Structure formats: structure tokens, C-alpha cells
Amino acid sequence: MRAKPVNQHRSREKRDRILRAMDALLRKKPFAEISVADLAAAAEVSPATIYQRFSNRDATASVLLELYYRRVEEWARRPRNDDALARASLHEVLRMIARDALRQVTELAHVMRPAYLYSRHRPDLVGPDWARLEKLSVDGFRALLNARSDELRVHDVDRAAAFLAYYYNMMLIGPLLHDDSTWSLLKDPEQLASEIAAMAWQYLTCGEHPKEVT
């Protein structure tokens, strides 16, 4: 028997409340210090409710990862100024993407940092949702490259899109994991965004890579 619509709504409402509670707790203390009891109290539900809706094996980590997936997808689907993007050069679009990604790290670091670190320790908890986020990033870069094909000198657009998704992700791990670092690059996000974009633009427009000398 299918759940009644009212019950489905209540179930979604409780799940959303648990996710909002995790978001609020992460702004106050490290993830490692958040227990199921803390989460239940903040969400005003019973611990059993959390275990029913998330993994019994590691409930707080399951909540964290679902919160991460949701926040990143919400960020990716925000309204954009498509007219400005259409008028901008390829280099400027790449810089805009880098700026936006750095802002994302700043605004969502409280969720992204523990989610990334925990996923490295518990890869068994990272399922198809992680792959979906990767696909979302690659698809976005592929659409950009197909729209600017006349500016490219790389021939394999699919590989270039995958590379850019990986490259931008790797460039942002530094600011994400070293927010208190003394690295001077992280103190000027605007300049860092420009440099990330410049390297990506050169990769796309400089032509085929020279063959290695053997």
C-alpha cells in the first residue's frame, strides 16, 4: 500500500527539518562533535526518527552527505544572468565560474569541508549522488565548450569538459581545506580566480599539447 499524500508530506517535512538542523549545528561546532542526540534535539524529532530516515550504520554522516548534495545542487541551479554570459568572452566566463566557485566555498564551507573529509574516510557512504554532482559539473562545462566551439583548439570536447570539471574541483580543495592557511594565494580570491581561469583558457586555446621527447 502506498503512503497517503499527507504522510508523505510529513515525512518530507521531517527530513527537511533534520537537514536544516544539521546545517545550523555545523555553523556552531565541528561535525565530529555532533551526535544523533544533538541532531534530534535541534530538529525536534526523536533519535529513532533520524535512524528511520537515514542510515542506521552512520546516521549523522548520512545526514551530512545528503545536506551536502542538496546545497551543492541548489547552488548549481540558482538563476544566472544568461545575457551577461552570452556576451562575455570564453576567458571571462571561465573567470566568472572560478569566482562563483570560490564564493561557494566561502558560503558553504561549513557543509562542504566535513562532507569532503568524511567521504575520504568512508567511501562506502558515497554512492550515486556523488557521481551525479560530477556529471552535473561535466555537463555544464560541455555545454559551455559546445557554445564556444569556434574559440577552441582542443578536439575532444568531452575530455576537455571532464578535465575542466576536475581541474576546477582540485583548485578549490585548497581554499576549502586550508581556510586558515598562510598561503598568500588564498588571501586574494579575485586574483586566484583570474589565474585559475587563465590556465584553463590557455589549455583550451593553445592547441594540441606538444609530444614528449623520448
Side-chain angles (χ1 to χ4, degrees):
M1 177 181 294
R2 292 185 178 180
K4 295 181 179 180
V6 172
N7 292 336
Q8 291 176 336
H9 174 75
R10 288 174 180 170
S11 179
R12 286 195 301 271
E13 193 278 331
K14 285 185 177 180
R15 196 176 191 91
D16 290 344
R17 197 191 311 168
I18 293 167
L19 292 171
R20 289 195 299 270
M22 175 62 84
D23 191 297
L25 287 170
L26 287 170
R27 296 177 186 273
K28 298 176 182 177
K29 57 183 179 179
F31 170 70
E33 297 178 9
I34 299 174
S35 67
V36 171
D38 294 332
L39 189 55
E44 299 182 339
V45 299
S46 68
T49 297
I50 296 175
Y51 285 118
Q52 287 169 359
R53 286 163 175 77
F54 297 90
S55 170
N56 284 330
R57 188 176 178 186
D58 201 333
T60 55
S62 296
V63 176
L64 169 66
L65 291 174
E66 182 164 331
L67 176 64
Y68 168 78
Y69 300 139
R70 181 174 295 192
R71 291 290 179 266
V72 172
E73 289 189 344
E74 288 171 350
W75 186 278
R77 294 192 169 100
R78 290 168 308 148
R80 301 176 305 172
N81 187 339
D82 291 331
D83 289 339
L85 287 171
R87 291 193 302 268
S89 66
L90 175 61
H91 180 267
E92 180 57 27
V93 172
L94 292 168
R95 184 163 49 190
M96 292 165 67
I97 293 171
R99 286 191 196 119
D100 189 64
L102 288 169
R103 284 195 294 269
Q104 180 190 47
V105 168
T106 299
E107 294 186 25
L108 300 182
H110 65 292
V111 175
M112 295 177 71
R113 185 176 297 113
Y116 179 83
L117 290 173
Y118 204 84
S119 70
R120 300 305 93 191
H121 290 294
R122 291 292 304 276
D124 56 300
L125 292 176
V126 180
D129 289 315
W130 203 276
R132 188 177 70 247
L133 291 183
E134 179 181 349
K135 183 177 185 301
L136 190 66
S137 178
V138 173
D139 287 348
F141 277 111
R142 184 185 295 109
L144 167 64
L145 298 183
N146 283 330
R148 305 301 180 92
S149 60
D150 58 323
E151 300 180 59
L152 305 181
R153 294 192 65 188
V154 293
H155 301 302
D156 190 338
V157 171
D158 287 340
R159 180 171 179 81
F163 171 79
L164 288 177
Y166 180 82
Y167 167 70
Y168 271 73
N169 181 64
M170 291 298 103
M171 291 300 100
L172 297 175
I173 286 178
L176 181 63
L177 301 185
H178 302 96
D179 59 325
D180 297 322
S181 172
T182 57
W183 281 69
S184 59
L185 283 177
L186 304 184
K187 299 182 185 301
D188 189 346
E190 181 65 26
Q191 180 65 21
L192 180 58
S194 295
E195 290 162 347
I196 290 172
M199 293 185 70
W201 180 81
Q202 289 179 29
Y203 160 73
L204 294 169
T205 61
C206 73
E208 294 299 315
H209 299 293
K211 294 181 179 180
E212 294 184 3
V213 177
T214 57

Coordinates of all heavy atoms in Angstrom, one line a residue, residues 158-211:
D158 N 34.5 16.3 -25.0 CA 34.1 15.6 -23.8 C 35.2 15.5 -22.8 O 35.0 15.6 -21.6 CB 33.6 14.2 -24.3 CG 32.3 14.2 -25.0 OD1 31.5 15.2 -24.8 OD2 32.0 13.2 -25.7
R159 N 36.4 15.2 -23.3 CA 37.5 15.1 -22.4 C 37.9 16.4 -21.8 O 38.2 16.5 -20.6 CB 38.8 14.5 -23.1 CG 40.0 14.3 -22.2 CD 41.1 13.6 -22.8 NE 42.2 13.5 -21.9 CZ 42.3 12.6 -20.9 NH1 41.4 11.8 -20.7 NH2 43.4 12.7 -20.1
A160 N 37.8 17.5 -22.6 CA 38.1 18.8 -22.1 C 37.1 19.2 -21.0 O 37.5 19.8 -20.0 CB 38.1 19.8 -23.3
A161 N 35.8 18.9 -21.2 CA 34.8 19.2 -20.2 C 35.1 18.4 -18.9 O 35.0 19.0 -17.8 CB 33.4 18.8 -20.7
A162 N 35.5 17.2 -19.0 CA 35.8 16.4 -17.9 C 37.0 16.9 -17.2 O 37.1 17.0 -15.9 CB 36.0 14.9 -18.2
F163 N 38.0 17.3 -18.0 CA 39.2 17.9 -17.4 C 39.0 19.2 -16.6 O 39.5 19.4 -15.5 CB 40.3 18.1 -18.5 CG 41.5 18.9 -18.0 CD1 42.5 18.3 -17.2 CD2 41.6 20.3 -18.2 CE1 43.5 19.0 -16.7 CE2 42.6 21.0 -17.7 CZ 43.6 20.4 -16.9
L164 N 38.2 20.1 -17.2 CA 37.9 21.3 -16.6 C 37.1 21.1 -15.3 O 37.4 21.8 -14.3 CB 37.0 22.2 -17.5 CG 37.8 22.8 -18.7 CD1 36.8 23.6 -19.5 CD2 38.9 23.7 -18.2
A165 N 36.2 20.2 -15.3 CA 35.4 19.9 -14.0 C 36.4 19.4 -12.9 O 36.3 19.8 -11.8 CB 34.4 18.8 -14.3
Y166 N 37.3 18.5 -13.3 CA 38.3 18.0 -12.4 C 39.3 19.1 -11.9 O 39.6 19.3 -10.8 CB 39.1 16.9 -13.0 CG 40.2 16.3 -12.1 CD1 39.8 15.3 -11.2 CD2 41.5 16.6 -12.3 CE1 40.8 14.7 -10.4 CE2 42.5 16.1 -11.5 CZ 42.1 15.1 -10.5 OH 43.1 14.6 -9.7
Y167 N 39.7 19.9 -12.9 CA 40.7 21.0 -12.6 C 40.1 22.0 -11.6 O 40.7 22.4 -10.6 CB 41.1 21.7 -13.9 CG 41.8 23.0 -13.8 CD1 43.1 23.0 -13.3 CD2 41.2 24.2 -14.2 CE1 43.8 24.2 -13.2 CE2 41.9 25.4 -14.1 CZ 43.2 25.4 -13.6 OH 43.8 26.6 -13.5
Y168 N 38.9 22.5 -11.9 CA 38.3 23.5 -11.0 C 38.1 22.9 -9.6 O 38.3 23.6 -8.6 CB 37.0 24.0 -11.6 CG 37.1 25.2 -12.5 CD1 37.7 25.0 -13.8 CD2 36.7 26.4 -12.1 CE1 37.9 26.1 -14.6 CE2 36.9 27.5 -13.0 CZ 37.5 27.4 -14.2 OH 37.6 28.4 -15.0
N169 N 37.7 21.6 -9.6 CA 37.4 21.0 -8.3 C 38.7 20.9 -7.5 O 38.8 21.2 -6.3 CB 36.9 19.6 -8.5 CG 36.6 18.9 -7.2 OD1 35.8 19.3 -6.4 ND2 37.3 17.8 -6.9
M170 N 39.8 20.5 -8.2 CA 41.1 20.4 -7.5 C 41.6 21.8 -7.0 O 42.2 21.9 -5.9 CB 42.1 19.7 -8.4 CG 41.9 18.3 -8.7 SD 42.0 17.2 -7.2 CE 40.2 16.9 -6.9
M171 N 41.4 22.8 -7.8 CA 41.9 24.1 -7.5 C 41.1 24.7 -6.2 O 41.7 25.5 -5.5 CB 41.6 25.1 -8.6 CG 42.5 24.9 -9.8 SD 44.3 25.0 -9.4 CE 44.8 23.3 -9.3
L172 N 39.9 24.2 -6.0 CA 39.1 24.7 -4.9 C 39.3 23.9 -3.6 O 38.8 24.3 -2.6 CB 37.6 24.7 -5.3 CG 37.3 25.6 -6.5 CD1 35.9 25.5 -6.9 CD2 37.7 27.1 -6.1
I173 N 39.9 22.7 -3.7 CA 40.2 22.0 -2.5 C 41.1 22.7 -1.5 O 41.0 22.7 -0.3 CB 40.7 20.6 -2.8 CG1 39.6 19.7 -3.4 CG2 41.3 19.9 -1.6 CD1 40.0 18.3 -3.8
G174 N 42.1 23.5 -2.1 CA 43.0 24.2 -1.3 C 42.2 25.2 -0.4 O 42.3 25.2 0.8
P175 N 41.5 26.2 -1.0 CA 40.7 27.1 -0.1 C 39.7 26.4 0.8 O 39.5 26.9 1.9 CB 40.0 27.9 -1.2 CG 40.8 27.9 -2.4 CD 41.4 26.5 -2.4
L176 N 39.2 25.3 0.4 CA 38.2 24.6 1.2 C 38.9 24.0 2.4 O 38.3 24.0 3.5 CB 37.6 23.4 0.4 CG 36.5 22.6 1.1 CD1 35.3 23.5 1.5 CD2 36.0 21.5 0.2
L177 N 40.0 23.4 2.3 CA 40.7 22.6 3.4 C 41.7 23.5 4.1 O 42.1 23.1 5.2 CB 41.3 21.4 2.8 CG 40.4 20.4 2.1 CD1 41.2 19.1 1.7 CD2 39.2 20.0 3.0
H178 N 42.1 24.6 3.6 CA 43.1 25.4 4.2 C 42.6 26.9 4.4 O 43.3 27.8 4.0 CB 44.4 25.4 3.4 CG 45.0 24.0 3.2 ND1 44.7 23.3 2.1 CD2 45.7 23.2 4.0 CE1 45.3 22.1 2.2 NE2 45.9 22.0 3.4
D179 N 41.5 27.0 4.9 CA 40.9 28.4 5.1 C 41.7 29.2 6.0 O 41.7 30.5 6.0 CB 39.4 28.3 5.5 CG 39.3 27.6 6.9 OD1 40.0 26.6 7.1 OD2 38.4 28.0 7.7
D180 N 42.5 28.6 7.0 CA 43.3 29.4 7.9 C 44.8 29.3 7.5 O 45.7 29.6 8.3 CB 43.2 28.8 9.3 CG 41.7 29.0 9.8 OD1 41.1 30.0 9.5 OD2 41.3 28.1 10.5
S181 N 45.0 28.9 6.2 CA 46.4 28.8 5.8 C 47.1 30.1 5.6 O 46.5 31.2 5.4 CB 46.4 28.1 4.4 OG 47.7 28.1 3.8
T182 N 48.4 30.1 5.7 CA 49.2 31.3 5.5 C 49.5 31.5 4.0 O 50.2 32.4 3.6 CB 50.5 31.2 6.3 OG1 51.2 30.0 5.9 CG2 50.3 31.2 7.8
W183 N 49.1 30.6 3.1 CA 49.3 30.7 1.7 C 48.8 32.0 1.2 O 47.6 32.3 1.3 CB 48.7 29.5 0.9 CG 49.5 28.3 1.0 CD1 49.7 27.5 2.1 CD2 50.2 27.6 -0.1 NE1 50.4 26.4 1.8 CE2 50.8 26.5 0.5 CE3 50.3 27.9 -1.4 CZ2 51.5 25.6 -0.3 CZ3 51.1 27.1 -2.2 CH2 51.7 25.9 -1.6
S184 N 49.6 32.8 0.6 CA 49.2 34.1 0.2 C 48.1 34.1 -0.9 O 47.3 35.0 -1.0 CB 50.4 35.0 -0.3 OG 51.0 34.3 -1.4
L185 N 48.2 33.1 -1.7 CA 47.2 32.9 -2.8 C 45.8 33.0 -2.4 O 44.9 33.5 -3.0 CB 47.4 31.6 -3.6 CG 48.6 31.6 -4.6 CD1 48.7 30.2 -5.2 CD2 48.5 32.6 -5.7
L186 N 45.5 32.4 -1.2 CA 44.2 32.3 -0.7 C 43.7 33.6 -0.1 O 42.5 33.7 0.2 CB 44.1 31.2 0.4 CG 44.6 29.8 -0.1 CD1 44.3 28.8 1.0 CD2 43.8 29.4 -1.3
K187 N 44.5 34.6 0.1 CA 44.1 35.9 0.6 C 43.6 36.8 -0.4 O 43.0 37.9 -0.1 CB 45.3 36.5 1.3 CG 45.9 35.7 2.5 CD 47.0 36.4 3.2 CE 47.7 35.5 4.3 NZ 46.7 35.1 5.3
D188 N 43.7 36.5 -1.7 CA 43.2 37.3 -2.8 C 42.4 36.4 -3.7 O 42.9 36.0 -4.8 CB 44.3 38.0 -3.5 CG 43.8 39.1 -4.5 OD1 42.6 39.1 -4.8 OD2 44.7 39.9 -4.9
P189 N 41.1 36.1 -3.4 CA 40.3 35.2 -4.2 C 40.1 35.8 -5.6 O 39.9 35.0 -6.5 CB 39.0 35.1 -3.4 CG 39.0 36.2 -2.5 CD 40.4 36.6 -2.2
E190 N 40.0 37.1 -5.8 CA 39.8 37.6 -7.1 C 41.0 37.3 -8.0 O 40.8 36.9 -9.2 CB 39.6 39.2 -7.0 CG 39.3 39.8 -8.4 CD 38.0 39.4 -9.0 OE1 37.1 39.0 -8.3 OE2 37.9 39.5 -10.2
Q191 N 42.2 37.5 -7.5 CA 43.4 37.2 -8.3 C 43.5 35.7 -8.5 O 43.8 35.3 -9.6 CB 44.6 37.7 -7.6 CG 45.9 37.4 -8.3 CD 46.0 38.2 -9.6 OE1 45.4 39.2 -9.8 NE2 46.9 37.7 -10.5
L192 N 43.1 34.9 -7.5 CA 43.2 33.5 -7.7 C 42.2 33.0 -8.8 O 42.5 32.2 -9.6 CB 42.8 32.8 -6.4 CG 42.9 31.2 -6.4 CD1 44.2 30.7 -6.8 CD2 42.5 30.7 -5.0
A193 N 41.0 33.6 -8.8 CA 40.0 33.3 -9.8 C 40.5 33.6 -11.2 O 40.4 32.8 -12.2 CB 38.7 34.0 -9.6
S194 N 41.2 34.7 -11.3 CA 41.8 35.1 -12.6 C 42.9 34.1 -13.1 O 42.9 33.8 -14.3 CB 42.4 36.5 -12.5 OG 41.4 37.5 -12.3
E195 N 43.7 33.7 -12.1 CA 44.7 32.7 -12.5 C 44.2 31.4 -12.9 O 44.7 30.7 -13.8 CB 45.8 32.7 -11.4 CG 46.5 34.0 -11.2 CD 47.2 34.2 -9.9 OE1 46.9 33.4 -9.0 OE2 48.1 35.1 -9.8
I196 N 43.2 30.9 -12.1 CA 42.6 29.6 -12.5 C 42.0 29.7 -13.9 O 42.2 28.8 -14.7 CB 41.4 29.3 -11.5 CG1 42.1 29.0 -10.1 CG2 40.6 28.2 -12.0 CD1 41.0 28.8 -9.0
A197 N 41.3 30.8 -14.2 CA 40.7 31.0 -15.5 C 41.8 31.1 -16.6 O 41.6 30.5 -17.7 CB 39.8 32.2 -15.5
A198 N 42.8 31.8 -16.3 CA 43.9 32.0 -17.3 C 44.5 30.6 -17.7 O 44.7 30.4 -18.9 CB 45.0 32.9 -16.8
M199 N 44.7 29.8 -16.8 CA 45.3 28.5 -17.1 C 44.3 27.6 -17.9 O 44.7 26.9 -18.8 CB 45.8 27.8 -15.8 CG 46.9 28.5 -15.1 SD 47.5 27.6 -13.7 CE 48.3 26.2 -14.5
A200 N 43.0 27.7 -17.5 CA 42.0 26.9 -18.2 C 41.9 27.4 -19.6 O 41.8 26.6 -20.6 CB 40.7 27.0 -17.5
W201 N 41.9 28.7 -19.8 CA 41.8 29.3 -21.1 C 42.9 28.9 -22.0 O 42.8 28.6 -23.2 CB 41.7 30.8 -21.0 CG 41.5 31.5 -22.3 CD1 40.4 31.7 -23.0 CD2 42.6 32.2 -23.1 NE1 40.7 32.4 -24.2 CE2 42.0 32.7 -24.2 CE3 44.0 32.3 -22.9 CZ2 42.8 33.4 -25.2 CZ3 44.7 33.0 -23.8 CH2 44.1 33.5 -25.0
Q202 N 44.1 28.9 -21.5 CA 45.3 28.5 -22.3 C 45.2 27.1 -22.7 O 45.5 26.7 -23.8 CB 46.6 28.8 -21.5 CG 46.9 30.3 -21.3 CD 48.2 30.5 -20.5 OE1 49.1 29.7 -20.5 NE2 48.2 31.6 -19.8
Y203 N 44.7 26.2 -21.8 CA 44.6 24.8 -22.1 C 43.6 24.6 -23.3 O 43.8 23.8 -24.2 CB 44.1 24.0 -20.9 CG 43.4 22.7 -21.2 CD1 44.2 21.6 -21.6 CD2 42.0 22.6 -21.1 CE1 43.5 20.4 -21.9 CE2 41.4 21.4 -21.4 CZ 42.2 20.3 -21.8 OH 41.6 19.1 -22.0
L204 N 42.5 25.4 -23.3 CA 41.5 25.3 -24.3 C 41.9 25.9 -25.7 O 41.4 25.5 -26.7 CB 40.2 25.9 -23.9 CG 39.5 25.2 -22.7 CD1 38.4 26.1 -22.2 CD2 39.0 23.9 -23.0
T205 N 42.8 26.9 -25.7 CA 43.0 27.6 -26.9 C 44.4 27.5 -27.4 O 44.7 28.1 -28.5 CB 42.7 29.1 -26.6 OG1 43.6 29.6 -25.6 CG2 41.3 29.3 -26.2
C206 N 45.3 26.8 -26.7 CA 46.7 26.8 -27.2 C 47.0 25.7 -28.2 O 48.1 25.6 -28.8 CB 47.7 26.7 -26.1 SG 47.7 25.0 -25.3
G207 N 46.0 24.9 -28.5 CA 46.2 23.8 -29.5 C 46.6 22.5 -28.8 O 46.6 22.4 -27.6
E208 N 47.0 21.6 -29.6 CA 47.4 20.3 -29.1 C 48.7 20.4 -28.3 O 49.5 21.2 -28.6 CB 47.6 19.3 -30.2 CG 46.3 18.9 -31.0 CD 45.3 18.3 -30.0 OE1 45.6 17.4 -29.2 OE2 44.1 18.7 -30.1
H209 N 48.8 19.5 -27.2 CA 50.0 19.6 -26.4 C 51.1 19.0 -27.2 O 51.0 18.1 -28.0 CB 49.7 18.7 -25.1 CG 48.6 19.2 -24.3 ND1 48.7 20.5 -23.7 CD2 47.4 18.7 -24.0 CE1 47.6 20.6 -23.0 NE2 46.8 19.6 -23.2
P210 N 52.3 19.6 -27.0 CA 53.5 19.0 -27.7 C 53.8 17.6 -27.3 O 53.5 17.2 -26.1 CB 54.6 20.0 -27.3 CG 54.2 20.6 -26.0 CD 52.7 20.7 -26.1
K211 N 54.3 16.8 -28.2 CA 54.7 15.5 -27.9 C 55.9 15.4 -26.9 O 56.8 16.3 -27.0 CB 55.0 14.7 -29.1 CG 53.8 14.5 -30.0 CD 54.2 13.7 -31.2 CE 53.0 13.4 -32.2 NZ 53.4 12.6 -33.4

